[in-house]
Amino acid sequence: MSEQDANKERLELALEAAGLDLWENDLVTGEVICKTSKVFTELGYGEEESLSFMDDVFKIVHPEDIPLIKTAINNHLRGIATQYRCEFRVLSKSGAWVWYANYGKIMDRDENNSGRRFIGVTFNIDDRKRNEEMLAVRGQVWRTLVENSPDTIARYDRECRRIYVNLALSTLTEGGEKVLLGKKPSEFPGSHDYVDYEAKIQEVFETGRDIEFELNIKSRTGKELCNHIRLTAEHDSSGSIVTVMGVGRDISELNIQRQKINEMAFYDSLTGLPNRRLLIDRLQHTLASSTRSSLHNALIFIDLDNFKTLNDTLGHDIGDLLLKQTAQRLTACMRQEDTVARMGGDEFVIILENLSNHIQEAEFQVETINKKILTILNQPYQLANHNRHITPSIGIVIFSGNQFSIDELMKRADIAMYQAKKAGRNTIRFFDLDMQTAIENRSSLEESIKHALSRQQFELYYQPQVNSTGRIVGAEVLLRWQHPVHGMILPDDFIPIAEETGLIIPIGLQVMKSVCRQLKIWGNGPLKDNLHLSVNISACQFQQEDFVKKIINVFESVDINPARITLEITESMVLGNISETIKKMQALKKKGIKFAMDDFGTGHSSLSSLKKLPLDQIKIDQSFIHDIPENNDAAVIVQTIIAMGNNLGMEVIAEGVETTAQKDFLIQHQCVNFQGYLFGNPMPVNEFERVFKEQDFKW
Ligand code: C2E
Ligand code: CA
Ligand code: CA
């Protein structure tokens, strides 16, 4: 092959490789000298069609582009453009418009300029054109979005200087674009958070990963705003990071809502203190961090003494005031890092963290703090126009590490608090294991009492009450528990627990029913008429709202004369709400029921409030009877009580009479009713019936 041919072949291959279609026109003759049909084949046309288009290519050129092509050619012909360059669309066989470009030039055919040729190439630029179109659309969308976005948008260069800010950001900022562009965030007056901001921009430059965070800023009007910022890397076509875009969204409103929801879920609405949920959450943290630090912590349960009585007597509004003030006092005497929470009701819980790692020292620290709590809660409370003194019972458990579960810790603090109550209230108790054993016994006792109730293990004993002639006029009904294993259990060993657990209510009802049934039986026999039965009533029974109704229901359903029943109440019942007590007593008295004040002389109720009560009888407490006649103080008290009862027109009965000396002293001072071992122990019903009948023989 000659050198010329080889060059020609090389040229053809190069054109082929570059995807170029060569053409040449003779400008003098207008004749098409060279035209390949590559374009037409590419567009999907057959040979015949290609030939026809070669004659008149404008047949398939987009009508809008034809004038452009012509202008471009003319401009070149007239020497305005040194080269002919033009981009246009051509219709493909499938009906789509495909972009092509023509590059060409007029050249002299030979040295003497005798002929001019117009020579050039056509090539497909469809991909590039589509890309450009897309980018143009995208750019437009981006501009519209960014420019009008309510979010603040800034673009940062490698030195963290802003090279773009949108409208939202420039209007937010005093001085607008001018003070923002070319500056770093740290040069923005106001927040020190901005230094951190720059570090974050740098981090995005380094890692290419998005960073999100919240930033507190001040608007030009001075308003505090919270912005959620997202920093995103922006890449160039080669993939390297050129800028970082920061988009800020004002989430102040959202934050306020978030905070509200948070408050509702984790804070007590009355006192504003953390609630049970948050407390448990904090306790979890305490357990975790104390495992690491080995420092001691304390969980403190605080329960206000007699809160229920205050709530019932003065109303819930006053109760709420007390709780609020208690919350304030507790918060005031705690350190910032301690948690004071309200568990509900009148129960407050405190977590003391990071105490000493020596247990004795930690105990000492806790005791000191709790003495402070005790003192501060003992200050009188001004509750609207009521001045009240309220005391707390405090239970404490000290712990370190996560040896115990949260449930166990709460249980232990609760047990300790319960012990503080038992120890007479207004005091502090640390948890110890003996307490737990006692509590466990107690709860098994509670179960046994329930069991006893359903298995009818309770029995009534009757202790005679006699008059000055020694004749039995009635009996006090005393409860006995016939335990299948432990034998007979006396009331002092189970009544207090029955009272605490509320089991005394069904027990009391059962006693009342048995008493009525017994009276009904006697109603038909020789024990008729004048025999009275005295029944002990616990404070919590009496305080039930429907107490009166329940009692009336019992004797009406059994159909006995209520005048044969005396209810024994104690002074503690009167301490609560005296007018309510009187109302209940009067309702029952209307039906004929009588009332006795039991254990008289041991309570703290004032004489004036006692005088208001519609009592029929007072029972001198056995502790005074025990000491007469030898003990002068007791003798004086007994005499005074008798005189007072007689003055008020109430019957006086002495209980616990064991000796004739006691009986004689009492008779001498005009007390003519007695109860005690001297006349008979409490006894089962058949024995009581026998004793009663035998006395008829005697008399
Ligand atoms: P209380 O009402 O003061 O009952 C009198 C207690 O003194 C009874 O003890 C009785 O056995 C005892 N006693 C009677 N005579 C003498 C005596 O001469 N000397 C001495 N040292 N003691 C005497 P008991 O039966 O063990 O009852 C204890 C307490 O249990 C009662 O004290 C009462 O408060 C309560 N209780 C008993 N039965 C019931 C009941 O059915 N319901 C309620 N709510 N409480 C009851
Ligand atoms: Ca009694
Ligand atoms: Ca008594």
Side-chain angles (χ1 to χ4, degrees), residues 55-269:
D55 288 342
D56 184 4
V57 78
F58 285 142
K59 268 197 253 172
I60 50 167
V61 171
H62 197 291
E64 282 173 16
D65 298 342
I66 294 171
L68 298 178
I69 297 173
K70 288 183 172 166
T71 311
I73 295 173
N74 278 332
N75 284 347
H76 181 51
L77 285 176
R78 285 204 233 118
I80 298 170
T82 54
Q83 201 190 18
Y84 158 61
R85 280 186 176 214
C86 184
E87 294 176 351
F88 52 90
R89 285 159 289 179
V90 186
L91 191 67
S92 75
K93 176 85 178 173
S94 65
W97 293 105
V98 181
W99 280 97
Y100 282 90
N102 273 352
Y103 281 12
K105 199 168 169 128
I106 297 164
M107 289 185 220
D108 294 335
R109 191 172 287 280
D110 49 39
E111 278 130 30
N112 52 24
N113 213 4
S114 67
R116 296 178 82 196
R117 55 190 348 191
F118 188 21
I119 188 163
V121 287
T122 301
F123 53 94
N124 188 316
I125 56 163
D126 202 57
D127 280 353
R128 196 200 84 206
K129 275 304 233 195
R130 302 259 169 242
N131 255 338
E132 276 173 13
E133 266 169 18
M134 205 169 68
L135 285 176
V137 171
R138 243 198 235 158
Q140 187 57 42
V141 169
W142 194 85
R143 269 193 296 280
T144 319
L145 279 181
V146 166
E147 207 37 57
N148 303 322
S149 167
D151 296 339
T152 59
I153 296 174
R155 183 173 263 162
Y156 299 93
D157 65 12
R158 283 202 165 269
E159 288 178 310
C160 302
R161 296 188 190 284
R162 293 187 199 86
I163 52 171
Y164 169 82
V165 292
N166 76 343
L167 201 65
L169 182 55
S170 55
T171 41
L172 186 76
T173 318
E174 181 83 65
E177 239 180 42
K178 263 187 250 148
V179 301
L180 289 167
L181 285 179
K183 299 269 174 53
K184 301 179 187 184
S186 59
E187 289 166 332
F188 192 82
S191 171
H192 52 266
D193 291 351
Y194 281 111
V195 180
D196 200 31
Y197 196 131
E198 279 178 32
K200 290 194 164 93
I201 295 174
Q202 291 299 356
E203 194 182 323
V204 176
F205 269 115
E206 277 154 33
T207 64
R209 276 195 296 273
D210 282 12
I211 295 185
E212 284 179 67
F213 58 99
E214 280 173 22
L215 184 75
N216 293 316
I217 57 164
K218 231 183 211 154
S219 80
R220 66 195 303 172
T221 57
K223 209 172 131 194
E224 295 275 354
L225 299 175
C226 180
N227 258 5
H228 172 265
I229 310 261
R230 184 191 194 101
L231 297 175
T232 311
E234 295 185 298
H235 303 83
D236 65 8
S237 54
S238 71
S240 39
I241 301 171
V242 279
T243 47
V244 166
M245 185 160 76
V247 179
R249 175 161 294 184
D250 179 8
I251 54 161
S252 314
E253 221 18 71
L254 196 77
N255 248 4
I256 292 169
Q257 280 168 359
R258 211 158 54 175
Q259 214 168 331
K260 268 192 202 144
I261 292 170
N262 202 29
E263 272 165 19
M264 280 195 300
F266 292 107
Y267 291 87
D268 167 46
S269 60

Side-chain angles (χ1 to χ4, degrees), residues 223-468:
K223 209 172 131 194
E224 295 275 354
L225 299 175
C226 180
N227 258 5
H228 172 265
I229 310 261
R230 184 191 194 101
L231 297 175
T232 311
E234 295 185 298
H235 303 83
D236 65 8
S237 54
S238 71
S240 39
I241 301 171
V242 279
T243 47
V244 166
M245 185 160 76
V247 179
R249 175 161 294 184
D250 179 8
I251 54 161
S252 314
E253 221 18 71
L254 196 77
N255 248 4
I256 292 169
Q257 280 168 359
R258 211 158 54 175
Q259 214 168 331
K260 268 192 202 144
I261 292 170
N262 202 29
E263 272 165 19
M264 280 195 300
F266 292 107
Y267 291 87
D268 167 46
S269 60
L270 179 71
T271 60
L273 292 181
N275 63 12
R276 189 189 181 89
R277 253 232 207 90
L278 186 54
L279 175 90
I280 289 179
D281 192 59
R282 300 242 174 114
L283 208 47
Q284 257 152 4
H285 283 122
T286 310
L287 287 185
S289 66
S290 117
T291 311
R292 289 192 295 271
S293 69
S294 82
L295 294 177
H296 282 94
N297 309 284
L299 186 66
I300 303 169
F301 266 42
I302 302 172
D303 191 283
L304 300 180
D305 300 330
N306 302 317
F307 176 74
K308 195 180 172 301
T309 314
L310 178 127
N311 225 8
D312 291 348
T313 51
L314 301 182
H316 288 264
D317 289 349
I318 300 293
D320 284 356
L321 278 181
L322 173 70
L323 294 173
K324 275 194 220 171
Q325 290 185 23
T326 306
Q328 281 160 4
R329 289 181 188 191
L330 287 174
T331 320
C333 72
M334 286 298 128
R335 301 171 302 178
Q336 191 79 39
E337 66 257 43
D338 300 326
T339 296
V340 181
R342 181 177 168 224
M343 297 290 273
D346 58 335
E347 256 183 32
F348 294 87
V349 177
I350 298 175
I351 310 173
L352 295 180
E353 281 187 77
N354 302 333
L355 302 165
S356 169
N357 51 354
H358 297 290
I359 179 73
Q360 281 89 357
E361 216 169 294
E363 267 171 11
F364 179 72
Q365 288 172 315
V366 174
E367 193 162 2
T368 314
I369 295 170
N370 277 282
K371 279 187 181 150
K372 209 162 103 188
I373 296 176
L374 207 58
T375 314
I376 202 162
L377 294 188
N378 262 281
Q379 305 296 317
Y381 286 85
Q382 189 62 46
L383 309 166
N385 46 10
H386 305 274
N387 194 284
R388 284 289 187 280
H389 175 221
I390 308 285
T391 59
S393 294
I394 303 176
I396 305 161
V397 59
I398 295 186
F399 61 97
S400 89
N402 55 2
Q403 184 187 1
F404 299 113
S405 69
I406 287 181
D407 278 352
E408 181 63 29
L409 287 174
M410 301 272 255
K411 195 175 115 194
R412 290 180 169 213
D414 194 41
I415 289 174
M417 192 269 289
Y418 175 78
Q419 293 303 316
K421 287 240 183 263
K422 263 190 100 176
R425 311 181 166 198
N426 199 19
T427 186
I428 301 166
R429 281 291 175 274
F430 281 87
F431 172 85
D432 68 48
L433 276 174
D434 292 347
M435 275 182 190
Q436 186 148 18
T437 321
I439 296 287
E440 276 160 11
N441 288 343
R442 194 185 90 96
S443 67
S444 80
L445 188 58
E446 185 184 337
E447 280 311 303
S448 312
I449 295 176
K450 277 188 202 156
H451 197 70
L453 196 58
S454 63
R455 296 285 166 95
Q456 320 271 318
Q457 289 171 4
F458 291 120
E459 193 185 335
L460 296 184
Y461 270 42
Y462 295 80
Q463 183 175 33
Q465 292 179 336
V466 302
N467 62 16
S468 61

Side-chain angles (χ1 to χ4, degrees), residues 42 66 138 256 260 364 479 511 571 615 632 678 699:
E42 196 177 277
I66 294 171
R138 243 198 235 158
I256 292 169
K260 268 192 202 144
F364 179 72
L479 200 54
V511 168
E571 286 173 77
L615 291 167
N632 197 43
L678 184 65
W699 295 88

Side-chain angles (χ1 to χ4, degrees), residues 568 598-599 621-622 655:
E568 293 192 2
D598 202 358
D599 306 336
D621 188 69
Q622 42 183 298
E655 65 174 336

Side-chain angles (χ1 to χ4, degrees), residues 471 526 689-699:
R471 188 176 168 75
E689 283 175 350
R690 187 177 51 77
V691 171
F692 188 81
K693 276 176 209 152
E694 276 170 8
Q695 68 163 359
D696 272 347
F697 283 118
K698 272 192 241 156
W699 295 88

Side-chain angles (χ1 to χ4, degrees), residues 459-461 463-464 476-480 489-496 499 504 507-508 511-512 515 534-539 541 568 570 573 598-599 619 621-622 625-626 655-659 662 675-682:
E459 193 185 335
L460 296 184
Y461 270 42
Q463 183 175 33
E476 178 177 2
V477 179
L478 294 161
L479 200 54
R480 296 291 178 264
I489 301 176
L490 288 174
D492 285 342
D493 291 333
F494 65 89
I495 297 263
E499 283 174 340
I504 192 68
I507 294 176
V511 168
M512 200 63 203
V515 165
S534 293
V535 183
N536 291 289
I537 302 293
S538 288
Q541 273 176 280
E568 293 192 2
T570 51
M573 290 179 211
D598 202 358
D599 306 336
K619 293 185 88 170
D621 188 69
Q622 42 183 298
I625 305 300
H626 184 265
E655 65 174 336
V657 182
E658 294 178 356
T659 65
Q662 289 166 344
Q675 182 186 336
Y677 297 160
L678 184 65
F679 310 96
N681 290 359

